[in-house]
Amino acid sequence: MPRPVTIRTVAERAGCSIATVSRVLNGSARASAQVEARVRAAVAELGFRPSEIGRSLKTLRARTIGVVIPSLTNPVFAGSVAGIEAEARGRGHTPLLTATDYEPEREREIVSALVAQSVAGLVLTVADPDANATLDLLDAEAIPYVLVYNEPTQAERAAVTVDNGAASRALTEAFLAAGHRRVLFIAGRFSTSDRSRLRHQGYLAAMGVAGLSPEPVLELDYLADAAAHRAALEGLLAGPARPTGIICSNDLLALSVIAALREMGLCVPGDVSVAGFDGIAIGRLVSPALATVDQPTRRMGERAVERLFALIEGQGSRTVEHLPFELRTGGTLAPAPSLSELSLSEPEAVPAPARGKRPAQTASVSRPSASRKAL
Amino acid sequence: MPRPVTIRTVAERAGCSIATVSRVLNGSARASAQVEARVRAAVAELGFRPSEIGRSLKTLRARTIGVVIPSLTNPVFAGSVAGIEAEARGRGHTPLLTATDYEPEREREIVSALVAQSVAGLVLTVADPDANATLDLLDAEAIPYVLVYNEPTQAERAAVTVDNGAASRALTEAFLAAGHRRVLFIAGRFSTSDRSRLRHQGYLAAMGVAGLSPEPVLELDYLADAAAHRAALEGLLAGPARPTGIICSNDLLALSVIAALREMGLCVPGDVSVAGFDGIAIGRLVSPALATVDQPTRRMGERAVERLFALIEGQGSRTVEHLPFELRTGGTLAPAPSLSELSLSEPEAVPAPARGKRPAQTASVSRPSASRKAL
DNA sequence: CAAATTCGTGAAAACGGTTTCAGAGCCGTC
DNA sequence: GACGGCTCTGAAACCGTTTTCACGAATTTG
């Protein structure tokens, strides 16, 4: 077993001190051309690679960033992590990845572990970005962090997200414009997702403006299987007054609901229109294409890291930044079936609300960047 | 700015030496009940959390494991990473995640960076597990690693995978058993995926055994969009001698191919049966369900970490371990249309196997509203 | 009861880098 | 020719932890 190659080995080989080796490798001070050449030769011959641990011990900061997400199994999080990873790597940092599996109490221990790793900062998606002991801990320790997908409304916290309320209103209005009057909202667990809550509020607001009474919300676990979803849906979709439209608070839930509806013999979108939320790539491949609100998933991850490094360098602001979303209608969102008994004519095409960016978007969005297709 | 809390702060507060604090926290030696109580009290009061960096410097190994995958955007890799993360966390380790974006030359620099981080070991999916300078580097440095999805045939390397050749033969035989004779194989890039190569070989073998001549392989980039896939397919699927079955070397590719076929006016599986490979969860939600080879994705990640820790402790073996796969037929894999049906312009609905659903979703594919997309 | 263990503890030496500080040599200037 | 200001370099401190070693006290053993 050969002794490991350290900076001392290199110094010995190059005939200089370890300080000089360090200076040459970091460019922190100039060395004579002669010495520098000898050091570089020694480094190459020995295959020396400076230990990040040694460096970190002096700096008291590792060149890593902590990443905390609920689950990798949802492509929407995988997309943001891809952006985080690429952007961090471009800055010489490596992400430390952890998943909470939607258990809020796990957030705390995970973040503790990441703090112990002396991460330079964190990017996280938490259950509740307002009342959150974990984030308070980070604030207390003055460790910079940026939220993704979360939309804190009270605390001053850096976040990158879309305007979930506006997006949900726009999506609901698209249903109304297509002639739907009874629109059901199916939400992921409110307790583990402020997105779900905000999207439901947007639905309520749009229904209210239209003078329609919202249906009682159905709270489902998107990780459960289609059979469970079918069981939950069966009562609601029996009878003549059943909804003609369903908005799901995320795409996976929507796909599962569609599968359940079809098993029940209902046609999507012939009998029931369904839309999701998030814009996962696979939604574009199914047929008919999944109606949804498209988020710049990867870009959100990248942007979070950009802002994180601004915070690390003392430049950043602790504000909520909204990136533009895009409404994707058609496909599983079709005009409501006409009530043949009451009226033979198709419902009039109500002019749809503005598609794409809502005026409510903040102007602070950095680049409109038609981001690379994730898939 | 308060001075950071180190083990010295704790020792001072508890009125003992730092050695005693370390011993109490690690349980490496017993301390008197009295002292131990004082130490624990001091730790709690100060909120002390031992720095992993300090510990790692002494140990010369961090409690992290490097994870190298081609891309997080493919759910099949996200699934294994989820398993890796959970299993590593259960053992007090945190994964350092990096993606190669299918660029083999990036493997090298990424692994170098991870080695510099003094990871305890690595779990990786590489382009070529046999002739691979990156893996040679790890061997030279005696850093333990386990491959996932890769199936090295020559070098002695620890790997967790399914038997891709056998799986592909089984899938091809399922096509033949359903009466298909002209079966096309569409592969991801061979240069970046040994899975793709092995699966193609399995297809060739099964076709050979059946005395059928295989179609020329079509090598596609699964990351490209459906339009590109449609362009590549159009020539092959014109004419009367077109294939009635298509095997794709992964699920994402299969979903994209199906979308392209439907755009071309072909019915899946009425006109063409399609199967993928990997068993991503979403394949079960689309209708008809995607025929595929199901791999225990998450379990593979977990198992890789189990074996990695065995290697770290000097117990493990450097062998290829095959986990069981499961053929998922039906859905998009239906009996081949008879010749008479092929020659007719309007093929009737083929009775779908398993739970019968209307296989013909094509009618709703090209809804006029489907093309409305902002921006 | 003396000797031999065991036990609890602290001082100090690593571990591999970065960085400060001081000194040595060299140049130009008065 | 002395001096000040460069430039290059090395010795040593330091970062936070683990771990070895030694030592006195308490306990067991002969």
Side-chain angles (χ1 to χ4, degrees):
Chain A
M1 207 66 174
R3 235 179 78 259
V5 176
T6 77
I7 198 172
R8 270 162 253 275
T9 328
V10 175
E12 208 172 312
R13 176 75 149 247
C16 65
S17 73
I18 62 169
T20 301
V21 175
S22 175
R23 281 188 278 253
V24 166
L25 290 183
N26 297 319
S28 50
R30 268 215 325 280
S32 71
Q34 208 178 5
V35 172
E36 173 165 351
R38 285 211 313 273
V39 169
R40 296 210 179 281
V43 166
E45 285 167 29
L46 296 166
F48 172 66
R49 176 167 307 284
S51 155
E52 280 292 330
I53 292 181
R55 181 206 307 267
S56 302
L57 184 56
K58 185 66 187 179
T59 318
L60 294 184
R61 285 280 142 237
R63 293 201 292 199
T64 56
I65 67 172
V67 177
V68 180
I69 54 166
S71 159
L72 259 184
T73 312
N74 188 333
V76 78
F77 298 126
S80 70
V81 172
I84 291 167
E85 192 272 335
E87 191 68 25
R89 178 153 41 87
R91 294 163 189 264
H93 285 240
T94 310
L96 280 161
L97 181 75
T98 60
T100 63
D101 294 326
Y102 292 94
E103 295 175 23
E105 61 273 25
R106 192 163 280 170
E107 279 176 14
R108 175 114 203 190
E109 64 189 57
I110 274 181
V111 168
S112 270
L114 292 174
V115 170
Q117 295 277 359
S118 304
V119 293
L122 293 97
V123 176
L124 47 186
T125 300
V126 297
D128 184 343
D130 281 314
N132 190 300
T134 308
L135 300 181
D136 294 339
L137 166 71
L138 292 177
D139 285 334
E141 304 236 12
I143 297 174
Y145 63 93
V146 178
L147 299 169
V148 177
Y149 294 119
N150 290 125
E151 209 172 343
T153 56
Q154 298 163 24
E156 257 196 14
R157 288 178 166 145
V160 175
T161 174
V162 299
D163 187 332
N164 283 295
S168 188
R169 285 197 299 278
L171 182 57
T172 308
E173 284 161 10
F175 272 82
L176 301 181
H180 295 273
R181 288 299 171 266
R182 284 186 305 279
V183 181
L184 176 66
F185 192 92
I186 301 184
R189 295 271 165 228
F190 285 154
S191 62
T192 59
S193 169
D194 60 322
R195 292 174 297 297
S196 194
R197 288 195 296 273
L198 291 167
R199 290 167 184 176
H200 180 236
Q201 283 168 20
Y203 154 83
L204 291 180
M207 292 294 275
V209 166
L212 295 170
S213 59
E215 306 281 324
V217 64
L218 179 59
E219 217 179 321
L220 287 184
D221 194 339
Y222 84 86
L223 294 172
D225 57 2
H229 294 159
R230 179 175 173 178
L233 282 171
E234 242 154 17
L236 291 168
L237 289 172
R242 62 172 166 81
T244 63
I246 299 181
I247 298 179
C248 301
S249 75
N250 70 62
D251 280 353
L252 287 185
L253 192 51
L255 290 173
S256 182
V257 163
I258 289 172
L261 292 172
R262 288 192 173 141
E263 274 184 22
M264 293 161 63
L266 288 170
C267 191
V268 176
D271 297 320
V272 186
S273 285
V274 179
F277 234 106
D278 287 344
I280 64 177
I282 287 161
R284 255 176 287 213
L285 295 179
V286 302
S287 62
L290 180 65
T292 190
V293 173
D294 201 354
Q295 305 181 78
T297 313
R298 184 186 176 99
R299 177 70 197 133
M300 286 165 72
E302 292 170 352
R303 182 68 190 133
V305 172
E306 287 172 15
R307 293 192 62 197
L308 179 61
F309 275 89
L311 285 171
I312 290 172
E313 288 153 16
Q315 315 267 337
S317 66
R318 296 167 39 125
T319 55
V320 175
E321 176 175 338
H322 285 144
L323 295 193
F325 60 86
E326 194 177 307
L327 216 55
R328 233 157 50 196
T329 55
T332 58
L333 168 44
S338 57
L339 300 172
S340 51
E341 307 291 358
L342 300 178
S343 149
L344 290 174
S345 61
E346 290 284 312
E348 292 253 340
V350 181
R355 299 187 189 279
K357 288 180 213 178
R358 301 271 304 168
Q361 297 297 306
T362 62
S364 65
V365 170
S366 60
R367 275 175 267 162
S369 118
S371 59
R372 287 159 273 170
K373 300 275 186 232
L375 264 182
Chain B
M1 207 65 172
R3 232 177 82 260
V5 176
T6 77
I7 198 174
R8 263 163 261 275
T9 327
V10 175
E12 209 171 313
R13 175 76 148 247
C16 66
S17 75
I18 63 169
T20 301
V21 176
S22 175
R23 281 189 277 252
V24 167
L25 291 182
N26 297 320
S28 50
R30 268 215 327 280
S32 70
Q34 205 178 10
V35 171
E36 174 165 349
R38 286 211 313 272
V39 168
R40 295 212 181 279
V43 166
E45 286 167 29
L46 296 166
F48 172 66
R49 176 166 305 284
S51 155
E52 278 294 329
I53 293 180
R55 180 205 308 265
S56 301
L57 183 57
K58 186 63 190 179
T59 319
L60 294 185
R61 285 281 143 234
R63 292 201 292 199
T64 57
I65 68 172
V67 177
V68 181
I69 54 166
S71 159
L72 259 185
T73 312
N74 189 333
V76 77
F77 298 126
S80 69
V81 172
I84 292 167
E85 192 271 335
E87 190 68 25
R89 180 154 41 87
R91 293 162 187 265
H93 285 239
T94 309
L96 280 161
L97 180 75
T98 59
T100 63
D101 294 326
Y102 291 94
E103 295 176 24
E105 62 272 24
R106 191 162 282 170
E107 280 175 15
R108 175 114 204 188
E109 63 189 58
I110 274 180
V111 169
S112 270
L114 292 175
V115 170
Q117 296 277 0
S118 303
V119 292
L122 292 97
V123 176
L124 47 186
T125 301
V126 298
D128 184 343
D130 281 314
N132 190 301
T134 307
L135 298 181
D136 293 340
L137 165 71
L138 291 176
D139 285 333
E141 304 236 12
I143 297 174
Y145 62 92
V146 178
L147 299 169
V148 177
Y149 295 119
N150 291 125
E151 209 172 343
T153 55
Q154 297 164 25
E156 256 196 14
R157 286 175 168 149
V160 176
T161 174
V162 299
D163 187 333
N164 284 295
S168 187
R169 284 197 301 277
L171 182 57
T172 308
E173 284 159 9
F175 271 84
L176 301 180
H180 295 273
R181 287 301 169 264
R182 285 185 305 279
V183 180
L184 177 64
F185 192 92
I186 302 185
R189 295 272 165 228
F190 285 155
S191 62
T192 59
S193 168
D194 61 322
R195 289 174 297 296
S196 193
R197 288 195 297 273
L198 291 167
R199 291 167 184 176
H200 181 235
Q201 283 169 21
Y203 154 82
L204 290 180
M207 292 295 274
V209 166
L212 294 170
S213 60
E215 307 281 323
V217 65
L218 179 58
E219 216 179 322
L220 287 184
D221 193 339
Y222 84 86
L223 294 170
D225 57 2
H229 293 159
R230 179 176 174 179
L233 282 170
E234 240 152 18
L236 291 168
L237 289 172
R242 63 174 164 79
T244 63
I246 299 180
I247 298 178
C248 301
S249 75
N250 69 62
D251 280 353
L252 287 184
L253 193 51
L255 289 173
S256 182
V257 163
I258 290 172
L261 291 172
R262 288 188 172 147
E263 273 183 26
M264 293 161 63
L266 288 169
C267 190
V268 176
D271 297 321
V272 186
S273 285
V274 179
F277 234 108
D278 286 344
I280 64 178
I282 288 164
R284 250 176 290 211
L285 295 179
V286 302
S287 62
L290 181 63
T292 190
V293 173
D294 201 356
Q295 304 180 79
T297 313
R298 185 187 175 97
R299 177 70 196 131
M300 287 165 72
E302 291 170 353
R303 182 69 189 131
V305 172
E306 287 173 15
R307 293 192 62 196
L308 179 62
F309 276 88
L311 284 172
I312 289 172
E313 288 153 17
Q315 315 269 337
S317 66
R318 296 168 37 125
T319 56
V320 175
E321 176 175 339
H322 285 145
L323 295 193
F325 59 86
E326 197 175 305
L327 217 53
R328 229 152 58 193
T329 55
T332 59
L333 168 45
S338 65
L339 283 178
S340 55
E341 279 172 344
L342 259 186
S343 53
L344 292 174
S345 51
E346 294 276 62
E348 279 301 306
V350 180
R355 336 176 240 188
K357 286 170 224 173
R358 284 166 292 177
Q361 294 294 332
T362 43
S364 52
V365 146
S366 44
R367 298 191 74 87
S369 54
S371 55
R372 280 193 294 179
K373 208 178 138 189
L375 277 186

